[in-house]
Amino acid sequence: MTDKPSLRDYIDRYAAGEIPRDEALATIAAWDFEVVWYAPEPPGQDNTMAVINEARELGKLTIEDIHEILRRIARGGIRTDGKPSLRAYIERYAAGEIPRDEALATIAAWDFEEEWFDPMHTAPTHQDNTLAVVNQGWALGQLTDEDIEVIRSVLKQRGF
């Protein structure tokens, strides 16, 4: 645990009607989430996404609340560990919010993470900030063939 405010306590106050819905969802979406130490979450660890899931199971947040929180997190382009989201950045580029030259240069210079792989884990990891996210952006039509070629040429210069 940390000296940060408690997400559990905040959700309890929202569930008790002490905090208006829009204010609560905006605050929760902007919460300074911590990384879970291990799964399952150890007793007493607070300020993780697991607390939101627990609140849903306990009836303190509705499924609509959770969808809105996740929508706001995604719109902000910040992952729950505080790092920028490559997936969200590509979505912003595809929506026309970022000029092409700037976007491709930024994507090609991204601080890519090593992709996690476990042959026993067959479900998608939803890992962000990997080269697979760039491929996903192409597959979803968010990046064109020409975009991919520009990104590949810069990555090749970077040693990828």
Side-chain angles (χ1 to χ4, degrees):
M1 290 199 318
T2 67
D3 293 331
K4 296 179 183 179
S6 166
L7 179 57
R8 276 189 182 88
D9 291 346
Y10 189 85
I11 291 172
D12 286 345
R13 290 180 48 221
Y14 166 64
E18 297 175 24
I19 304 168
R21 182 178 190 266
D22 194 55
E23 176 186 335
L25 300 185
T27 300
I28 293 168
W31 205 268
D32 183 19
F33 292 102
E34 299 169 351
V35 176
V36 176
W37 292 324
Y38 60 84
E41 181 179 343
Q45 187 181 6
D46 204 343
N47 301 319
T48 67
M49 291 298 290
V51 172
I52 292 175
N53 293 333
E54 174 186 282
R56 168 68 178 116
E57 292 172 11
L58 296 173
K60 296 177 182 180
L61 290 173
T62 66
I63 194 69
E64 292 81 14
D65 289 344
I66 292 173
H67 285 171
E68 180 62 18
I69 290 166
L70 294 175
R71 187 188 68 74
R72 291 178 188 214
I73 289 171
R75 187 179 64 206
I78 301 297
R79 298 179 343 178
T80 57
D81 60 5
K83 295 180 182 178
S85 167
L86 177 57
R87 188 173 282 110
Y89 188 85
I90 290 172
E91 288 172 1
R92 289 181 51 219
Y93 165 62
E97 297 176 23
I98 303 168
R100 182 176 190 266
D101 290 341
E102 176 186 333
L104 299 184
T106 300
I107 293 167
W110 204 269
D111 182 20
F112 292 103
E113 298 171 356
E114 185 175 334
E115 192 155 358
W116 177 77
F117 176 74
D118 178 354
M120 299 304 291
H121 184 92
T122 58
T125 65
H126 303 287
Q127 189 177 359
D128 201 347
N129 295 331
T130 66
L131 290 171
V133 173
V134 175
N135 290 333
Q136 179 187 31
W138 172 80
L140 293 173
Q142 296 169 329
L143 296 168
T144 66
D145 291 340
E146 294 81 17
D147 293 343
I148 294 296
E149 285 309 312
V150 170
I151 293 168
R152 280 186 183 154
S153 68
V154 175
L155 288 174
K156 187 173 181 179
Q157 292 170 2
R158 286 182 58 195
F160 279 89

